[in-house]
Amino acid sequence: MGDLLARLFAARGWGAKLQRLALDQAWRRVAGDTVGERTCVLRLSRGVLTVGVSDPVLLQELRAFRGKHLLAALQREVGAACVRRIQFRLR
């Protein structure tokens, strides 16, 4: 039964969607409510997580002071092999 569900999820593209949802949820847990409400996961490519930030002041804070802490916390949630770096971008 598990193999059948795995094949169905892969065929429908749901596996990637579920992984993305899990990553979005992990980001919100790690970032907390205040930061989580003003940011969003844009993409994950080759271990680089790109996070959109709605406020230029918050963008600077994340880049300068909080990025390493958030990366370490996120790696504990999803694994260091999954996310190796976080890139913050104004959206």
Side-chain angles (χ1 to χ4, degrees):
M1 183 65 146
D3 287 339
L4 178 62
L5 285 176
R7 282 185 281 160
L8 176 64
F9 272 56
R12 304 268 181 176
W14 294 341
K17 290 176 185 174
L18 286 176
Q19 288 176 337
R20 172 62 187 263
L21 178 62
L23 185 58
D24 288 344
Q25 290 173 343
W27 172 253
R28 295 284 283 205
R29 281 192 303 275
V30 166
D33 291 337
T34 303
V35 173
E37 289 173 2
R38 296 164 54 196
T39 61
C40 68
V41 171
L42 298 176
R43 72 176 166 273
L44 176 65
S45 177
R46 297 181 179 178
V48 179
L49 179 68
T50 303
V51 175
V53 183
S54 64
D55 177 0
V57 175
L58 179 59
L59 175 67
Q60 279 305 110
E61 179 183 334
L62 293 172
R63 284 180 175 168
F65 304 112
R66 299 179 70 183
K68 289 182 182 181
H69 169 74
L70 289 168
L71 175 61
L74 190 60
Q75 287 176 329
R76 285 190 297 274
E77 286 274 329
V78 300
C82 181
V83 178
R84 293 180 288 110
R85 187 166 64 92
I86 300 175
Q87 175 177 298
F88 298 102
R89 291 222 170 131
L90 194 60
R91 61 172 172 105

